[in-house]
Every structure is written in C-alpha cells, then in structure tokens.
Amino acid sequence: MALNRRTLLKTGAALTAASMAPGIVRAEGAHWRVAASLPMTGPFATAGQLVAPAFSEFEQQVNDNGGIGGKPIRVEVADSGYIPRNALANFQRAQAAGDLHFYYGDSTGFMELVGPTLTGDNAVMMGSTSFASALSDPANRPYQFMAGPTYEDQFEILLRDIANKGGKTVAFVYSDTEFGRDPIEHGRQVAAELGIDVVLEEVTRAEGADIENHVTKLAQANPEYTILQGYVTGVWPQLIGGARAFGLTTQFMGTFWGMEKIIADRVTEQAGPFLDGYQGVMPYRYFYDQDEAPFYQELGAFKRSVNPGFSGYVTAWELEGRLCLELWKLCMERVIEADKEVTPDNLMAELGSIRNWDSGGFFGAPVDVVDNKIGQGRVYRYDAETRLYNPVSDWIQV
Amino acid sequence: MGQFIQYIINGVISGSILALIALGIVAVFKATKVVNFAHGHLILFGAYFYFTFSVVLADAPFMPAWVSSWEPAWLIAYAGDAPMFSPRAAIASWVSDLPRILLGLVGALAANAVLALIIERLIMRPLLGQSAFAMILSTVGLIWVLEGSAGLIWTAEAEQVPALGPNFPIRFQLFDQNLFLFSGSLVNLLVALLLFASLMLVLRYTRSGVAIRATAEDQSTAYAMGINVPRVFSTAWLVASTTGAVAGAILASRNGLSPAIGLFGLSVLAVVLMGGLDSFAGVLIASMLVGILSSMAQWKLGGGVAEIVPYVAVLVVILIRPHGFMGQEEIERI
C-alpha cells in the first residue's frame, strides 16, 4: 500500500483517537458527574454566589467519605447569568462532555425550557431552585423534582395557618411574572374552601413597583393578612415599609424566596426595623436552629474546619441546593445497593419511593416524596431585634 | 370622589418624577437634536452613585461615625421614644441620615456629571457633523455599555437607600374625604418641580440658556453668532446627567435600587414623544397625564393592564399629533 500524505494523516488521526479512547472511557467511568447552572452574575448574582458553596462542599464531603458506592463524584458549576438559554447551553455542554448523573438548574424558566427535551438518552435527574407547581408532575416531567413544597403548597400552608388563627380576609400581592402568578389560582380555591375572603389581588412590577398606588389599594381593601409572591430581594421590603408608614396593620406573609434572613437583616440594617413581625412559609429549619438537626451540626463543623472565618449561618437558599444534592445522593446509594443500573429512570423511581425519610433536620418531621416534591413547611416570624425568624406554627403537611 | 382624588394625587407624584426624567431627554434634544436613548441608564448610574456615596462610602470603616449616623444629644432627646413612622421619629431619623444623604447627593451629582462629560467628549463630540441618526444609534449602543458596566461595578441585587426627605403619612381632608400622601413623596414632588422650574428659568433668562435655545434653533447660525456650540452640547449633557442623578436618587429611595431603573428611564421616552421632544412645557403636561392615567389604570384595571394603558394613550396622541402636544413641527425646505 502506498503511504501518501493523506493516508498518513488519516492513520495518525485514527491512532491518536484509538489511543485516547480508553482514557476517555476511564475518565467517564471514574466519577459520578454532577453539573449545575447558577446565576453567578446578573440580577440574582448574590443568590447564586451564596448557593455555590453547597456544590463545592458537597463534592469535598462526599469524596472525603469515599464517594458514592466507592466511586468519587465530580461537580461542575457554570454561570447562567439567570438567563434560561445560557443555562440550557451549560446543560448541553455538560451532557456533551460525558455521562451526567445529576443536573441542578437555576430557574423556573430553565426547567420549563429543558423539561420537554429530557427524554431517551437526554434524560437526566434534575433538581433546581424552582418551586414552580408545574414541575411537580411526574407524568409530564418524569426527571425533574423539587426539594420542598411547590409555591401552591406554600400558599396553602399560609392559608391554612391563617384559617387556624381565625383569619377571615386576605390579599394576594404578586409580581407580574410566572413566578408571581404560579400559586394564585390555587390560592383562590384554597381560600374559598377555608372560608377566607380574598379581598384584593394586586399585580405589581417585579422590580420598581409603584408602591404608593399599591399601598393605597391595600389600605382600601384593608385585609387582615397579605400574602406576597414572586419577589426575591426587591419590592416586598418597600411595600411593607410603605404600608407600615401608612399605618396599615395587615399581617404580611411571604414564600420561600422572600424569607431569607440575610435579606431581612439587610433591610433592617439599611432602612429600620419595620419588617418586625413579617411572616412566611419556610420548608426547612433555619440554620441556627440546630438542636434537632444533626445534619446542620455536621455541616457547620465541616464549614468551620475548611473556613475558620465561617459566620455560622448558612442561607436557606444554599440549604435548598444542598438538599437537592442530598436527595440525589440518597437515590444513588439506594440504586447501587439494590444492584441496579444507575439510570435516570432508576434514580427517579427511588426518589418517588422515599417515605418517612429522616432528613437530618432540614425538615421538622420525617418526609415523603410524592409527585416529585416534599409537601411540608412551617410558618416563621421575623424578629427585627434578635434578627431571627422564629417558628409560629407546627410543621404543616400538604 | 375621595378615592378618585387620592389616585389623582398619586398620579401627580408619579408624574413629577417622570417629568424630572424627561427633563434630561428634552435638554439634550433641544441642544443637540439627539434623542438620548441612554438617558434611563444615566439615571441608573445616578442611582448607583447615590447608593455608593450614601450607603457604601458613608458606612466605610474609614469614615467618621457621624457621617453614617449623626446623633447629637438634642436629636436623641427630640426623637425620644416616638413610635417608628410617627412624624417625630421620621424627622429625627431623616436628620440623623442627613450627612449621608448630602454626601450621596453631592457624590452622585459630581460622578454623574463626570460620566456625562466623558460620554459627550468621547462618543458624541467626535460624531459632530455626522447625521443625527448616527448619534442616536450611538446612544442606543451606550445603553448596553452602561448596563454592562453597572453589572460589573455593582451587584444587581435590590438595595435600600436613604430617602431625600422624612417619610411619614400626611392625612388631610378635601371635599370631606380622608386623603393621604407620604411626606417623602411630597419632598420628591417639590424637588422635581423646583428643578423643572429652575431649568426653565435658566433657559429663559440666562446667557447659557439663550445659547442653548439659539443652538436648538440653528447650529450653523449659532456658530456664526459666536456661540460656543460644543460647550452648549456639554452643558446640555451636564443638565441631563445632574437632573438624572437626582431622579435616580428619588427612584432608588422610592422603589428600591435595581437595574430596572434603567428600563424605567427608557420607557419615559414615550412620555417625551407625547409631550413633544423639544418642549419642556409639553413634557410636563404629558408626564402628569401619564402619571395620572397609570394611577387610575392601577386603581380600576389592576397591575397587568395598568402597564399598558398610558402607553396606548401615548400612541393615540402621537397618531393625532405626530410632534406631540407642544413639539415644534419640523418644516423641511426642498
């Protein structure tokens, strides 16, 4: 055979590929791969940067303890800027780089976008920051789950708490976003069942809302309770401040993303203690409530060991990310123990079979995973003097 | 009737802030014939500068403690144990914050002025003599430059900044109806109207005002008459940036500081078109009208629709009067 230049190049390329292939195969098989998109820049950069340690520390802790089923894990985090198409591109890159065993998304938008593509070989077990009700749908979204109650569930927990306390009137104030609108229809139904009158439904901008008009409408409706939905760091503090300045006594309540202690503390620091008494639903214990939370104690000790300057507080946002990872790890261990193949279907089947699980303190009572979610939460109240959210209800199951 | 008046009051307050924003767009257009699409983002920078000076710098460890919180004995005695949001507590809290508010305002005015001069010298002036279209497009490009830069310099999280005035509810009766407004909003209204009126007086009665008006009429003739046209351009950008800084501080203290301020400022362009690009009086009327319409729509139709209604009105006005309420019709000689 004549060895011309083209043949030489082809042969060289083939030999190189053949010699590297076993290495690639070994690399794929050597780790369980976890990837995530987080908003390290953009409107929720602070949230993304606060959640990020959950991933690096999970990797270190799991690998220090021998990995999962004797195999180490590898965690890759990419910035999405809170743009769903960026997160989708991150996900596709992670998939193209080899076997992917878990993915963590950064938003409802991304989860909606990627959901329909998770079929066949593209299927991956997937958690996220989102509590959107549409994601709790095993029939249509068999690979997506959430580590807590949906926004609808959270609304229901609040409305049940209001009913338990004899409340008769409520206002729903929500941002003009998918996030804001998510639980409103369900909230109307539950309120009607519980005999609570929804005296106002007020839509606001997600940022830069016209506080004066919203406060005027709240004053006219004069609800005993006002539930806020669809905000993270903005609008809700200004609205509560405006209402309090006006002299409204309505009890404000929020859901998961409006319940972070560091945000309430920052508002108190910058604008005064008017958030005192603000309540809301939180699926998890706050990190400072460690007496019955061995996992929190262990996590705190680990954080202190790797970072002597650790403040002692872990945000609820980070805890949510960590819980998603812990649920995946639990499913992995159960699948491996059962000597089954690690596939998204087997992992999700294990997730769906979780009953009476002791989470180590995230939740106040053992929990079940039903419809790819955990329907438990508790109502907390912010104390501006101690800067703590304190529980004002038992753990409520929905 | 009472509710109607209440929403008129709310609308006038919103309208005054729109007018303050619109002021900068008209000032630049009158002098340079350039519609500054990036004005909202100049306001955004003004808001972030106000935050930087009044919160970040004021609380910095190297600053004297009185800048962060000025609490002389007489002020503590005055505040006593007044409940939060009572007029006395609000005034005491505002006086205590005065050093940081002043630092914030002075810093924001100066920093925004420097920013505007840089933009004018580096981007706009080299385009002098080019078509107005090229200059307008460069302001569109500036939006992304400013937005990206803001994202790099500051986090995009919503922050709290001190209000320009004490904030407590003022309750009063009008036509036998109980009405209210926040004192902080009243201060914002007064500041906005005062700035608006001052600028109109400056344009009418000062040499630089006359120079701006002459340049607006005809740049070539203004040159021929010995007017320093590039300086007029700089002055117009200075006016836009400094009024924008005040607007930014007001918006940040009223609605919270977030990148949404830039987009809000951009939306005011529609109000300016409604009033007339080159008419201060026209944009004042349009701002009040849009403010009141927004407020009424919020009252009667709710949030989602309230966002659209005022801009439908803008479109209708532009269809009927393409040059706005009081804009000068351009006559092209062929």
Side-chain angles (χ1 to χ4, degrees), chain A residues 42-47 176 202-203 205 207-217 220 233-234 237-238 241-242 244-247 266-267 270-274, chain B residues 3 6-7 10 13-14 51 55 84-85 155-160 167-169 171 180 182 185 254-256 258-260 264 294-295 298-300 302-304 307:
Chain A
F44 298 124
T46 303
D176 193 11
E202 183 73 346
V203 186
R205 288 189 201 128
E207 295 176 285
D210 185 348
I211 300 301
E212 229 135 44
N213 277 326
H214 299 311
V215 169
T216 306
K217 288 184 81 172
Q220 285 164 355
T233 57
Q238 289 84 28
R244 292 288 176 255
F246 180 79
R266 192 168 68 189
V267 171
Q270 293 177 348
F274 62 81
Chain B
Q3 288 186 13
Q6 180 66 66
Y7 283 98
N10 293 356
I13 289 167
S14 302
F51 165 70
V55 177
M84 187 170 46
F85 294 126
T155 74
E157 295 295 332
E159 300 279 359
Q160 310 284 319
N167 201 24
F168 54 87
R171 296 170 202 281
F180 87 97
F182 289 118
S185 298
R254 187 178 145 91
N255 300 338
S258 77
F264 180 70
S294 267
S295 190
Q298 184 73 45
W299 174 33
K300 285 295 178 191
E307 292 294 311

Side-chain angles (χ1 to χ4, degrees), chain A residues 157-209:
Chain A
I157 287 169
L158 290 176
L159 288 165
R160 286 189 190 285
D161 185 60
I162 290 169
N164 288 340
K165 288 168 180 163
K168 292 289 173 208
T169 56
V170 66
F172 297 160
V173 179
Y174 55 98
S175 65
D176 193 11
T177 60
E178 206 171 339
F179 173 26
R181 288 186 292 270
D182 185 292
I184 301 304
E185 179 58 39
H186 183 69
R188 281 185 208 123
Q189 288 168 14
V190 175
E193 284 165 20
L194 296 171
I196 299 169
D197 192 10
V198 182
V199 293
L200 175 70
E201 286 186 23
E202 183 73 346
V203 186
T204 75
R205 288 189 201 128
E207 295 176 285

Side-chain angles (χ1 to χ4, degrees), chain B residues 223-314:
Chain B
Y223 258 124
M225 299 295 288
I227 291 172
N228 186 343
V229 173
R231 182 180 288 175
V232 168
F233 286 9
S234 302
T235 308
W237 277 89
L238 270 180
V239 167
S241 65
T242 47
T243 55
V246 178
I250 288 176
L251 282 174
S253 63
R254 187 178 145 91
N255 300 338
L257 174 64
S258 77
I261 288 175
L263 284 177
F264 180 70
L266 188 62
S267 71
V268 175
L269 265 174
V271 180
V272 176
L273 291 175
M274 187 190 206
L277 267 167
D278 55 358
S279 167
F280 286 110
V283 294
L284 181 63
I285 294 167
S287 300
M288 291 301 169
L289 196 65
V290 168
I292 290 168
L293 262 175
S294 267
S295 190
M296 290 293 166
Q298 184 73 45
W299 174 33
K300 285 295 178 191
L301 304 171
V305 184
E307 292 294 311
I308 303 165
V309 169
Y311 297 100
V312 171
V314 169

Side-chain angles (χ1 to χ4, degrees), chain A residues 299-323:
Chain A
L299 183 61
F302 172 77
K303 279 179 176 282
R304 271 187 293 276
S305 72
V306 294
N307 174 18
F310 170 55
S311 70
Y313 178 70
V314 176
T315 64
W317 303 341
E318 182 182 336
L319 291 175
E320 192 265 349
R322 182 62 190 252
L323 183 57

Side-chain angles (χ1 to χ4, degrees), chain A residues 107-167:
Chain A
S107 64
T108 302
F110 164 71
M111 294 295 268
E112 296 276 3
L113 196 61
V114 77
T117 71
L118 299 179
T119 55
D121 289 345
N122 281 330
V124 176
M125 186 181 186
M126 189 175 281
S128 77
T129 55
S130 176
F131 293 97
S133 308
L135 302 181
S136 169
D137 183 359
N140 294 310
R141 297 179 179 279
Y143 303 105
Q144 295 180 326
F145 73 96
M146 66 187 74
T150 63
Y151 295 125
E152 286 184 353
D153 293 337
Q154 294 180 37
F155 241 60
E156 191 168 332
I157 287 169
L158 290 176
L159 288 165
R160 286 189 190 285
D161 185 60
I162 290 169
N164 288 340
K165 288 168 180 163

Side-chain angles (χ1 to χ4, degrees), chain A residues 32-361:
Chain A
W32 303 117
R33 275 185 74 229
V34 171
S37 271
L38 293 177
M40 306 299 280
T41 56
F44 298 124
T46 303
Q49 287 160 14
L50 285 168
V51 172
F55 290 85
S56 54
E57 290 170 3
F58 176 73
E59 181 181 30
Q60 189 178 340
Q61 278 186 290
V62 170
N63 289 341
D64 287 352
N65 289 312
I68 300 173
K71 194 190 280 192
I73 65 168
R74 194 170 68 205
V75 178
E76 300 151 21
V77 175
D79 177 25
S80 67
Y82 200 66
I83 298 169
R85 66 172 185 277
N86 289 359
L88 184 63
N90 291 341
F91 171 63
Q92 288 166 341
R93 267 195 299 274
Q95 266 194 321
D99 284 346
L100 186 60
H101 302 97
F102 178 68
Y103 199 80
Y104 183 82
D106 68 336
S107 64
T108 302
F110 164 71
M111 294 295 268
E112 296 276 3
L113 196 61
V114 77
T117 71
L118 299 179
T119 55
D121 289 345
N122 281 330
V124 176
M125 186 181 186
M126 189 175 281
S128 77
T129 55
S130 176
F131 293 97
S133 308
L135 302 181
S136 169
D137 183 359
N140 294 310
R141 297 179 179 279
Y143 303 105
Q144 295 180 326
F145 73 96
M146 66 187 74
T150 63
Y151 295 125
E152 286 184 353
D153 293 337
Q154 294 180 37
F155 241 60
E156 191 168 332
I157 287 169
L158 290 176
L159 288 165
R160 286 189 190 285
D161 185 60
I162 290 169
N164 288 340
K165 288 168 180 163
K168 292 289 173 208
T169 56
V170 66
F172 297 160
V173 179
Y174 55 98
S175 65
D176 193 11
T177 60
E178 206 171 339
F179 173 26
R181 288 186 292 270
D182 185 292
I184 301 304
E185 179 58 39
H186 183 69
R188 281 185 208 123
Q189 288 168 14
V190 175
E193 284 165 20
L194 296 171
I196 299 169
D197 192 10
V198 182
V199 293
L200 175 70
E201 286 186 23
E202 183 73 346
V203 186
T204 75
R205 288 189 201 128
E207 295 176 285
D210 185 348
I211 300 301
E212 229 135 44
N213 277 326
H214 299 311
V215 169
T216 306
K217 288 184 81 172
L218 266 179
Q220 285 164 355
N222 196 25
E224 292 170 79
Y225 293 85
T226 300
I227 302 181
L228 307 165
Q229 168 67 20
Y231 311 104
V232 179
T233 57
V235 177
W236 66 270
Q238 289 84 28
L239 191 69
I240 295 175
R244 292 288 176 255
F246 180 79
L248 289 184
T249 54
T250 185
Q251 172 65 60
F252 282 99
M253 298 177 128
T255 54
F256 179 80
W257 288 98
M259 287 293 289
E260 177 43 54
K261 171 180 149 52
I262 57 163
I263 299 302
D265 288 354
R266 192 168 68 189
V267 171
T268 303
E269 190 69 38
Q270 293 177 348
F274 62 81
L275 290 184
D276 191 55
Y278 168 65
Q279 294 184 6
V281 62
M282 172 54 70
Y284 320 123
R285 284 175 206 276
Y286 283 92
F287 194 73
Y288 45 78
D289 178 14
Q290 295 194 358
D291 287 349
E292 295 172 51
F295 183 88
Y296 285 12
Q297 292 168 15
E298 190 187 316
L299 183 61
F302 172 77
K303 279 179 176 282
R304 271 187 293 276
S305 72
V306 294
N307 174 18
F310 170 55
S311 70
Y313 178 70
V314 176
T315 64
W317 303 341
E318 182 182 336
L319 291 175
E320 192 265 349
R322 182 62 190 252
L323 183 57
C324 280
L325 292 165
E326 291 295 330
L327 283 166
W328 168 73
K329 178 170 156 262
L330 179 70
C331 295
M332 287 287 292
E333 287 166 347
R334 288 185 177 185
V335 166
I336 291 166
E337 264 175 34
D339 207 18
K340 291 181 193 164
E341 193 183 352
V342 176
T343 64
D345 289 299
N346 286 339
L347 289 172
M348 291 305 290
E350 283 300 335
L351 183 81
S353 71
I354 291 175
R355 295 288 179 274
N356 212 24
W357 178 54
D358 179 356
S359 62

